Amino acid sequence: MSSFQERIGKFLDEGLKEGLLTLDDYNSIIALLEEAGKITTIHPELYAGLLKDSLDVLPKITAETEKELSILKNKLKSKGFKILNVVVDEDLWSLEPLGADASSCPMPIGMLKAAYISAMALKEKTPPIIVRDFITASNDEMGSREFKFYYQVQAEALIPVVSIRHIKENGKPSCVVIDGPLSASLLLRRIPYRPGLKEEVYQELQNKAYELIRIRDELIRLCYELDIPIFSVVKRCTSRHFMAWYGLKDDFPYTDQFVFHQLLDYGQRTESISITKAIEMQGAEPFPRFNEIYGFYIKTSRNPLTPPIRVEYPQYLIKKEDWIASYVLTTSLTTYEAEFDGLPKAICLVHKDAKITRALMKEIYKRAVTKLLDNGVDIKILGSIWGFSLE
């Protein structure tokens, strides 16, 4: 604790002794002070200055943005944009969905680039299907940015793999709900080339991106053949597909998710657009897919700070988009945990069990180093990059 917090602690001790505070009150306040100490570890003058800057600048930015949003709303309306109300259907809780998610986490060792990747398909009352891998690349082979793309693309490709296996081994679920897009972004279709990147490395990156698109289509094809609804939930949306669709991308700098955060209330959604065509409108070359991908934004959280999510689905489900929206809204959870708030239960369950956290990576790294040390391995070879600690 800081000296100020220590003084507060002494004051609380006196309150406890004099009976002005209960023991539970005392423990709760001390816990809050300790948590605050983890946050405010910078010099108090710097902290106060940063807070002042925020309070000075944010109101100005907010006022300017409100003016632009008013113009944007009117332009969207003039182009036929509509907001739809979504029906909550409690009977949808009885369905048995298959949820699938992937995770990845880099391991910060110095001798090469390395990362854990995994994916899980989970349906309640059935055993999960889990696939994992350990991805490596030499330091002279890829930069950090290329390697991050390399292992994340391979992690995402495991989602269709585990989903297909689960369906084949455990039978048809009521529906398949995956975390992440079904669409193929401009980045996947053509990876930007940078000077100095070896041609064979660039081709490997592009091949992995194409493999991801193709394996997604394999899952979509299987669901089509078995008459299984499949749709995906995209949480962190940086795209501007809807702005491009409505011809407003060059007029306003905002992402789709930010715009619809301002326009949608809980239980409302946008009309659907062709995500596939919107991506191509922004310069992507056509890429043959089993089915065109459509999507809409929907506000599933009652928290005003939680943005809407994008839901994507293949063309064969166009007439079922109202049902999809009802399912997503009905089964979405309300929670104080930001990473789960407003997400369908099927995604929350698999995300909770599949996520490779930094804390987990540290624990595995620590146990591996300890085991190798016991076996006589020179653990300096496994030294971490500067600034990383196992504590």
Side-chain angles (χ1 to χ4, degrees):
M1 287 189 182
S2 68
S3 59
F4 172 73
Q5 289 169 328
E6 288 174 357
R7 294 198 302 273
I8 292 292
K10 291 178 181 178
F11 177 76
L12 294 174
D13 288 338
E14 292 177 6
L16 184 62
K17 291 175 183 177
E18 295 178 8
L20 301 175
L21 288 174
T22 67
L23 183 59
D24 286 343
D25 290 337
Y26 174 84
N27 289 333
S28 297
I29 295 172
I30 290 297
L32 287 172
L33 286 171
E34 290 176 345
E35 186 63 27
K38 296 176 184 177
I39 300 171
T40 56
T41 55
I42 62 173
H43 192 281
E45 184 178 337
L46 176 56
Y47 178 87
L50 293 173
L51 178 59
K52 180 181 181 301
D53 292 343
S54 298
L55 296 176
D56 287 343
V57 174
L58 290 178
K60 298 175 184 177
I61 297 175
T62 301
E64 293 171 0
T65 303
E66 282 180 340
K67 294 177 182 178
E68 285 197 320
L69 285 173
S70 178
I71 299 171
L72 173 56
K73 290 176 185 178
N74 290 331
K75 286 197 173 185
L76 279 171
K77 187 176 180 180
S78 69
K79 292 176 179 288
F81 172 78
K82 294 179 181 179
I83 293 176
L84 307 176
N85 292 315
V86 181
V87 177
V88 172
D89 183 355
E90 297 297 337
D91 291 339
L92 294 173
W93 281 108
S94 64
L95 300 183
E96 297 182 345
L98 175 65
D101 192 11
S103 184
S104 59
C105 186
M107 176 179 278
I109 52 180
M111 63 178 169
L112 46 69
K113 290 179 173 62
Y116 297 114
I117 66 170
S118 70
M120 179 184 297
L122 177 67
K123 185 174 77 169
E124 293 187 85
K125 302 177 184 178
T126 61
I129 298 295
I130 303 171
V131 175
R132 68 185 190 279
D133 202 354
F134 190 59
I135 307 298
T136 62
S138 64
N139 284 319
D140 67 344
E141 189 176 5
M142 297 181 193
S144 297
R145 186 174 181 180
E146 285 89 18
F147 183 67
K148 183 178 182 180
F149 177 87
Y150 184 62
Y151 70 74
Q152 287 184 339
V153 164
Q154 292 184 77
E156 291 297 314
L158 294 180
I159 291 179
V161 171
V162 293
S163 301
I164 291 169
R165 276 187 53 188
H166 199 291
I167 293 170
K168 290 183 175 180
E169 294 179 16
N170 296 290
K172 285 177 56 176
S174 302
C175 57
V176 176
V177 190
I178 71 171
D179 192 327
L182 287 172
S183 56
S185 68
L186 175 61
L187 178 62
L188 288 180
R189 299 186 193 198
R190 183 172 296 281
I191 299 170
Y193 179 82
R194 68 165 177 83
L197 186 65
K198 296 178 181 178
E199 180 62 29
E200 59 270 24
V201 174
Y202 175 78
Q203 287 301 322
E204 174 70 3
L205 294 173
Q206 189 66 81
N207 289 340
K208 292 299 182 185
Y210 288 165
E211 287 174 14
L212 170 58
I213 300 173
R214 294 189 185 100
I215 193 66
R216 282 177 179 168
D217 274 355
E218 285 186 33
L219 175 59
I220 294 171
R221 183 187 297 275
L222 177 64
C223 290
Y224 170 77
E225 293 171 349
L226 297 178
D227 194 26
I228 303 171
I230 177 173
F231 45 94
S232 69
V233 171
V234 187
K235 308 185 294 287
R236 288 177 290 274
C237 309
T238 59
S239 64
R240 303 177 65 202
H241 305 326
F242 279 72
M243 291 298 98
W245 183 265
Y246 287 103
L248 298 174
K249 185 178 178 182
D250 294 334
D251 298 331
F252 299 94
Y254 309 115
T255 64
D256 296 339
Q257 189 172 51
F258 174 78
V259 170
F260 296 132
H261 194 176
Q262 316 312 309
L263 299 182
L264 299 178
D265 293 326
Y266 172 76
Q268 294 182 329
R269 73 172 179 92
T270 67
E271 290 184 302
S272 295
I273 68 167
S274 169
I275 302 296
T276 300
K277 284 188 171 65
I279 291 171
E280 291 169 1
M281 288 171 63
Q282 297 170 77
E285 296 178 2
F287 192 98
R289 298 292 305 271
F290 173 72
N291 241 199
E292 196 170 329
I293 303 300
Y294 286 73
F296 56 82
Y297 277 85
I298 179 171
K299 183 73 165 89
T300 54
S301 170
R302 292 179 172 86
N303 186 337
L305 295 178
T306 301
I309 55 178
R310 189 171 80 237
V311 177
E312 296 187 354
Y313 57 93
Q315 186 176 8
Y316 76 87
L317 293 173
I318 280 182
K319 294 183 179 180
K320 291 187 176 182
E321 56 194 7
D322 286 337
W323 179 89
I324 294 171
S326 289
Y327 177 84
V328 171
L329 179 64
T330 302
T331 65
S332 289
L333 304 184
T334 299
T335 172
Y336 288 109
E337 297 181 79
E339 64 179 319
F340 298 114
D341 184 45
L343 294 181
K345 180 184 176 184
I347 292 296
C348 294
L349 290 176
V350 71
H351 180 78
K352 177 176 67 70
D353 284 353
K355 186 175 181 180
I356 306 173
T357 63
R358 185 176 175 84
L360 177 63
M361 179 274 294
K362 279 187 174 184
E363 178 62 25
I364 293 173
Y365 183 29
K366 185 190 299 184
R367 295 190 66 175
V369 168
T370 303
K371 180 67 174 177
L372 292 171
L373 179 62
D374 291 342
N375 293 339
V377 174
D378 183 359
I379 61 170
K380 287 195 296 183
I381 297 175
L382 293 172
S384 62
I385 60 176
W386 189 89
F388 177 78
S389 170
L390 291 177
E391 298 303 322

